[in-house]
Amino acid sequence: MKPALEKHWHHLPQAEVLDLLDTEMDVGLDRFAVADRQKNYGPNALTERRGQGPLLRFFLQFNQALVYILLAAVLIKLTLGKWVDAGVIFAVVLLNSIIGFLQEGKALSALQALSRALTTEATVLRSGEKQRIDARELIPGDIVFLVSGDKVPADLRLLQVRNLQLDESALTGESLPVEKQAGVLEHDLQLADRSNMAYSSTLVTYGTALGVVSATGDDTEIGRISELIASAEILATPLTRKIASFSHILLYAIMGLAAITFAVGLWHGDSWIDMFMAAVALSVAMIPEGLPAVMTITLAIGVSRMARRNAIIRRLPAVETLGSTTVICSDKTGTLTRNQMTVQEIWAGGENYSLSGIGYAPDGELQYQGQAVNLDSNAALPELLRAGLLCNDAVLRNESGGWKVEGDPTEGALLVSAAKAGLDAQQIQTTFTRMDSIPFESEQQYMATLHAGEPPFVYLKGSVESLLLRCQNILLANGESRLLDAEAVLEQVELMAGQGQRVLAFGRLDVSPGTTEIDHQDVSSRLVFLGLQGMIDPPREEAISAVRACQAAGIRVKMITGDYAATAAATAAAIAGQISLDETLIVGDNPQVLNGTELAAMTDAELIDAVTGTAVFARVNPEQKLRLVEALQVHGEVVAMTGDGVNDAPALRRADIGIAMGITGTEVSKEAADMVLTDDNFATIQAAVEEGRGVFENLTKFMVWTLPTNFGEGLVIMAAVFMGVALPILPVQILWINMTTAVLLGLMLAFEPMEKGVMQRPPRNPKTPILTGRLIARIVLVGTLLFAGAFGLFGWSLDNGASDEQARTITVNAFVVVELLYLFNCRSLTKSMFQIGLFTNPWMIGGAASMILLQLVYTYAPPMNNLFHSAPIGVMDWLRIVAVGLLIYLVIGVEKSIWRRRDAKSTSEPE
């Protein structure tokens, strides 16, 4: 049984809070307490709200206009005593409902799996060790660390706070971030006024904090009012909504045609019962009932394929929009590059040093002019390396997969550079204990740490600009200091940045004895400048080919970096030689670059004019990303934007495709994004675009395949009624055709591999209709030929002595054979199946073989003859059926060949 922890935590002193929760701030819970409490409290998760039960979801499958028509037909058949016909029609309705129920269940399971894949993590202190765990494992009494960008994983009583601000809009509706503190508050305070509490599902927008878990799961405030955040994600997209709308319009049109058919039949003197069944047959024939199901399955297959290629789709519309992307704005670090920063050059005491080795492995050495260096030769050198080691929150570990950094890659590079120079990180960190720190924030552009010493001292690292504003002197090689020459430092920065390096500056400040805390004011001046460390992040090899593939597909790639302007230009120049960011925007060796300062000075109109002619955006803050997205969209671009920070959320939401980083991204950015990259790799974006194009193409292929059948069936029914002859196909037979071919033939197009040229075509205009004029003409052509062939075979068979059952069996088989052969034609909208490979889709071969076997059973098995009014037919009948199918296949092959020649001629003609 779960122990009760109903307390007014905000009103209790810290010591009492810790005592009640039986935990220690400096140690946390031990593993025995963790195991015991996890049994008592269970997982830190909200109990899933009960949605529609399975029985209700099943009965809702019958809530469709088409089903109502079929059920009415069942009742009429029962009234007339035609039990077999009624049973067959009802069995088809039941089967269709079961298939829909199972598909919906799979969709819900997929969404639940996606929810599990995007779990929240938390940083906790257990047994005195800092750990990163799944937030579901949190229990009351856990000590939790919060940093900017985190989602608060449980209800916390704050113990230590530094400039903490939370977005509590999901809980309180307050639109602005709320400042937090750690003191004791009055007893009778509303939830929104409890400033020493951090509540589950709120977001850290600024600062850091340490807190103790006071409630988890359903006991949290968000758990008590879960209606605020409970939402059912609907498996619907713009495309599926268009299809639904199309189906409704088609339904009304068919109902009108059915009424006309009914009236014409009565005018001919036919019975109203026969004409009602003819009207039902027409309705069943012309509605593509398998279309919505196949759409959903095709989208789900696309999402599954993307997941296998490290792209998790959070919102299904992204699958469609990806195929239309025209511009990708990508962060440089970790996406286009390896995200394994490597220090290559050090400037200390007026001298330049180099470091060998690449990556996080501390293999290499510190060199001066190609020779190994003794640290004693330059007093500024060990001080600079020590600053990089201590003013650092990263951890370097040697794990089974190699050396890895927990934390910021830039800080990881500083740890590696110190290790290469021979510094013992553990010894130095023990000797100079950290007493306080100022975390890095984008607004300040630096981080500072206070360390024990005689006297205590502060190390500060950050951008060159922020350090130069705060430094007064510079440390020389002989250990003395003199007045800082900012121009000399900037000259050195330009040289290092010109080689594509990211440059960090370092400073030191001795403080008064007894100092235990620091703030921004304490480090605003009087620092001693220690030197520079320049590092690079080499491009990913796979990103090189991915960018080129995007450019071949008509997609332009723009690089966004927070690097120093000169660094950005040089880095882009270095990468551009291999990646070719935007060949049209690279002049000589230098791409066109805009920095954040220039962007800030631009009006919206000026930015709109400049944005298309720029390949690299340097020193861009998250707010400026939003302006870039909006400026590109003014030009009609479909923009994909990457982001990983808290403040990237507006740009990610505004972009047509927001892309968050799965490894380095904050919870805020992931929630704002449409897609999450589990490997933070640009090549995954290219793969997702490719899959998006493939999914849309397969959906189009299915529509081009299925609609001619419905059109042809409808023409056959209407022609028979208008001509006053027997129906060539009965309603149960139409249901047989539509259901079996949709499952065994049409669905196979969802598994069709992407054609080779899918990434050599320009992006699809999202305003373009699903079916172009050329495809509509093909649908009409195939439907008309199908009508002529089926109706002709029916009439010819009757004229040559066949019974009604045999003639109808021939008609049904004609529809199926034509659909089967036309299916292979639809594997490509422009090429023949021999050009794309006959056996490249084994699902297609299996489906066709199953369909042929099923038709033989339909034709020759006595039970099927009784159920569907079919009859055995002869070999010559089959030959005539196959001849009609081959003729239609050849006609469409010629039609595609004509269009290929016209397209080739139009592209070869000079403009």
Side-chain angles (χ1 to χ4, degrees):
M1 183 176 177
K2 185 183 292 187
L5 282 175
E6 289 288 338
K7 300 289 182 183
H8 290 86
W9 299 106
H10 64 280
H11 181 59
L12 301 177
Q14 289 187 10
E16 188 174 348
V17 169
L18 294 171
D19 183 58
L20 286 169
L21 292 169
D22 195 15
T23 188
E24 297 180 44
M25 186 169 66
D26 298 329
V27 179
L29 299 172
D30 60 38
R31 62 177 182 174
F32 301 107
V34 169
D36 183 57
R37 295 189 191 191
Q38 283 179 339
K39 290 179 183 177
N40 290 329
Y41 291 98
N44 174 34
L46 298 178
T47 302
E48 291 188 13
R49 296 184 67 198
R50 291 191 60 187
Q52 295 172 338
L55 191 62
L56 178 59
R57 285 196 292 112
F58 175 72
F59 282 119
L60 285 175
Q61 304 299 320
F62 294 87
N63 187 26
Q64 302 176 43
L66 172 65
V67 174
Y68 292 148
I69 294 173
L70 294 177
L71 291 176
V74 170
L75 292 176
I76 291 175
K77 288 286 187 182
L78 290 173
T79 303
L80 297 175
K82 297 187 176 182
W83 304 98
V84 174
D85 284 1
V88 171
I89 296 175
F90 183 73
V92 171
V93 171
L94 185 63
L95 177 63
N96 193 41
S97 297
I98 291 173
I99 292 174
F101 172 75
L102 294 175
Q103 288 168 348
E104 186 175 329
K106 288 181 179 179
L108 292 172
S109 298
L111 289 173
Q112 291 168 1
L114 177 60
S115 173
R116 291 193 295 271
L118 294 175
T119 55
T120 302
E121 292 188 334
T123 303
V124 301
L125 187 68
R126 287 181 175 175
S127 299
E129 293 186 0
K130 201 173 181 180
Q131 303 176 22
R132 189 79 173 161
I133 65 170
D134 187 332
R136 290 172 56 88
E137 299 175 12
L138 284 175
I139 47 178
D142 262 327
I143 304 298
V144 176
F145 296 87
L146 296 178
V147 298
S148 181
D150 282 350
K151 176 193 279 188
V152 178
D155 283 2
L156 307 178
R157 169 64 159 89
L158 298 174
L159 304 174
Q160 294 179 355
V161 170
R162 178 173 291 279
N163 302 324
L164 183 68
Q165 295 182 12
L166 297 185
D167 176 0
E168 295 185 335
S169 57
L171 186 65
T172 66
E174 173 61 52
S175 60
L176 298 176
V178 178
E179 292 187 3
K180 294 291 182 175
Q181 50 99 5
V184 178
L185 300 176
E186 295 179 9
H187 184 278
D188 298 322
L189 286 180
Q190 296 297 320
L191 188 71
D193 298 324
R194 298 174 187 175
S195 58
N196 61 2
M197 299 291 296
Y199 292 108
S200 177
S201 294
T202 59
L203 306 171
V204 181
T205 61
Y206 193 86
T208 61
L210 184 73
V212 59
V213 176
S214 59
T216 58
D218 291 334
D219 295 329
T220 62
E221 292 296 334
I222 204 74
R224 293 172 186 170
I225 52 174
S226 59
E227 297 82 12
L228 292 176
I229 59 170
S231 61
E233 190 161 352
I234 300 170
L235 199 67
T237 70
L239 180 62
T240 54
R241 285 194 291 269
K242 285 181 182 177
I243 297 302
S245 175
F246 166 75
S247 297
H248 285 130
I249 293 172
L250 188 62
L251 176 63
Y252 298 140
I254 291 171
M255 294 293 283
L257 291 174
I260 293 173
T261 302
F262 185 82
V264 170
L266 291 179
W267 181 65
H268 282 162
D270 295 319
S271 70
W272 72 269
I273 294 177
D274 290 340
M275 285 305 95
F276 177 81
M277 296 313 299
V280 170
L282 179 66
S283 301
V284 173
M286 296 197 70
I287 295 178
E289 56 266 62
L291 186 57
V294 173
M295 291 288 173
T296 301
I297 293 172
T298 305
L299 286 173
I301 290 171
V303 169
S304 176
R305 285 177 174 174
M306 290 182 188
R308 287 197 295 270
R309 299 180 74 172
N310 300 316
I312 295 178
I313 301 298
R314 295 190 71 251
R315 298 181 179 92
L316 281 181
V319 179
E320 302 153 28
T321 313
L322 278 166
S324 306
T325 301
T326 59
V327 174
I328 299 175
C329 296
S330 174
D331 288 324
K332 175 180 73 71
T333 303
T335 308
L336 288 168
T337 58
R338 295 179 181 275
N339 200 19
Q340 288 198 351
M341 297 297 290
T342 304
V343 175
Q344 285 199 323
E345 188 173 358
I346 291 175
W347 185 73
E351 300 289 348
N352 291 86
Y353 300 87
S354 62
L355 280 163
S356 59
I358 292 179
Y360 290 146
D363 301 326
E365 62 178 5
L366 185 65
Q367 298 176 340
Y368 178 71
Q369 296 182 350
Q371 300 297 317
V373 173
N374 184 346
L375 291 180
D376 296 334
S377 63
N378 185 335
L381 187 56
E383 189 73 23
L384 172 63
L385 291 167
R386 194 157 45 239
L389 176 62
L390 292 175
C391 189
N392 200 312
D393 285 331
V395 178
L396 181 65
R397 298 186 188 279
N398 188 6
E399 299 180 351
S400 56
W403 288 90
K404 295 182 180 178
V405 165
E406 291 183 8
D408 186 81
T410 299
E411 294 190 328
L414 298 176
L415 295 178
V416 174
S417 70
K420 289 178 180 178
L423 297 187
D424 187 330
Q426 188 172 0
Q427 179 186 354
I428 291 174
Q429 289 167 349
T430 302
T431 303
F432 304 104
T433 307
R434 182 190 295 191
M435 297 188 293
D436 196 14
S437 66
I438 300 175
F440 178 88
E441 296 287 355
S442 58
E443 291 84 355
Q444 302 295 336
Q445 293 292 316
Y446 69 81
M447 171 186 177
T449 53
L450 172 65
H451 298 274
E454 297 295 338
F457 60 91
V458 174
Y459 277 137
L460 191 143
K461 79 166 188 294
S463 67
V464 176
E465 300 94 326
S466 65
L467 266 291
L468 289 179
L469 287 173
R470 292 165 174 81
C471 290
Q472 181 177 347
N473 295 323
I474 185 170
L475 185 64
L476 303 178
N478 60 9
E480 298 179 359
S481 61
R482 72 178 182 200
L483 193 65
L484 175 65
D485 183 355
E487 291 298 324
V489 174
L490 290 173
E491 183 178 338
Q492 182 61 39
V493 170
E494 292 292 336
L495 290 173
M496 296 170 72
Q499 300 172 45
Q501 297 177 17
R502 180 184 182 187
V503 183
L504 285 180
F506 298 81
R508 171 173 173 146
L509 174 68
D510 290 339
V511 296
S512 304
T515 301
T516 58
E517 292 183 354
I518 54 172
D519 57 25
H520 291 295
Q521 186 62 36
D522 295 328
V523 294
S524 61
S525 62
R526 300 183 299 104
L527 275 76
V528 176
F529 194 86
L530 301 179
L532 307 168
Q533 293 199 47
M535 58 193 72
I536 64 166
D537 185 9
R540 294 176 181 263
E541 292 180 4
E542 59 271 29
I544 298 173
S545 58
V547 170
R548 290 173 180 164
C550 286
Q551 290 177 335
I555 302 169
R556 284 172 293 138
V557 179
K558 297 181 183 293
M559 187 176 86
I560 297 176
T561 174
D563 291 341
Y564 185 69
T567 307
T571 303
I575 295 176
Q578 303 174 58
I579 296 183
S580 301
L581 285 178
D582 194 331
E583 294 172 355
T584 63
L585 302 179
I586 296 175
V587 181
D589 292 330
N590 296 310
Q592 299 300 300
V593 180
L594 271 178
N595 63 45
T597 304
E598 293 168 331
L599 285 175
M602 285 182 172
T603 64
D604 289 341
E606 291 171 335
L607 180 58
I608 290 169
D609 290 337
V611 71
T612 55
T614 305
V616 179
F617 299 91
R619 265 300 195 247
V620 174
N621 64 41
E623 290 79 8
Q624 290 170 332
K625 279 189 174 184
L626 178 60
R627 291 189 68 202
L628 291 177
V629 170
E630 293 172 338
L632 286 165
Q633 288 173 333
V634 169
H635 289 281
E637 306 284 5
V638 179
V639 183
M641 170 69 78
T642 68
D644 57 10
V646 176
N647 292 332
D648 288 333
L652 294 177
R653 289 194 186 99
R654 185 68 177 85
D656 298 276
I657 294 290
I659 304 172
M661 303 297 110
I663 299 174
T664 60
T666 61
E667 295 300 326
V668 180
S669 64
K670 291 176 188 177
E671 290 199 353
D674 302 288
M675 182 170 77
V676 178
L677 307 184
T678 60
D679 59 355
D680 291 10
N681 194 335
F682 181 86
T684 302
I685 303 176
Q686 179 261 326
V689 170
E690 187 177 30
E691 290 290 351
R693 290 189 175 193
V695 165
F696 187 86
E697 192 163 76
N698 285 348
L699 293 175
T700 305
K701 290 174 183 177
F702 176 79
M703 292 188 68
V704 172
W705 171 80
T706 193
L707 291 180
T709 302
N710 301 111
F711 183 55
E713 289 171 342
L715 288 178
V716 166
I717 299 296
M718 292 181 67
V721 173
F722 289 172
M723 295 172 63
V725 300
L727 291 179
I729 42 178
L730 300 175
V732 291
Q733 294 170 337
I734 293 172
L735 286 171
W736 169 266
I737 295 171
N738 290 354
M739 294 304 297
T740 56
T741 57
V743 173
L744 294 178
L745 297 180
L747 187 56
M748 302 306 109
L749 285 171
F751 300 94
E752 185 66 25
M754 281 179 290
E755 295 184 43
K756 291 182 179 179
V758 72
M759 288 298 282
Q760 269 83 52
R761 305 171 195 163
R764 179 181 59 85
N765 187 336
K767 296 181 180 178
T768 302
I770 301 171
L771 298 175
T772 62
R774 181 186 299 186
L775 295 179
I776 291 173
R778 183 179 299 172
I779 289 169
V780 173
L781 173 62
V782 176
T784 303
L785 291 173
L786 187 53
F787 153 70
F791 199 82
L793 285 173
F794 177 75
W796 191 91
S797 300
L798 290 177
D799 291 343
N800 285 272
S803 65
D804 286 352
E805 288 77 10
Q806 287 176 317
R808 285 177 176 138
T809 302
I810 290 171
T811 305
V812 169
N813 281 306
F815 270 101
V816 171
V817 169
V818 170
E819 282 191 85
L820 190 151
L821 292 173
Y822 180 53
L823 178 73
F824 286 90
N825 228 323
C826 288
R827 290 186 60 198
S828 172
L829 297 175
T830 56
K831 303 173 184 175
S832 74
M833 67 176 180
F834 300 104
Q835 289 177 294
I836 61 175
L838 184 60
F839 301 104
T840 53
N841 185 355
W843 290 92
M844 191 81 68
I845 304 298
S850 300
M851 192 71 243
I852 291 171
L853 181 62
L854 204 58
Q855 280 307 114
L856 291 175
V857 173
Y858 170 89
T859 304
Y860 297 107
M864 300 296 283
N865 297 155
N866 292 330
L867 289 173
F868 291 97
H869 308 287
S870 59
I873 58 176
V875 174
M876 294 305 297
D877 296 319
W878 282 109
L879 290 176
R880 282 187 284 271
I881 290 168
V882 172
V884 170
L886 288 174
L887 178 62
I888 294 176
Y889 177 89
L890 292 173
V891 169
I892 301 306
V894 170
E895 182 254 2
K896 287 201 287 189
S897 177
I898 292 171
W899 280 114
R900 282 198 302 272
R901 288 175 186 159
R902 288 186 181 180
D903 291 341
K905 184 178 179 181
S906 64
T907 55
S908 63
E909 289 178 352
E911 296 182 1

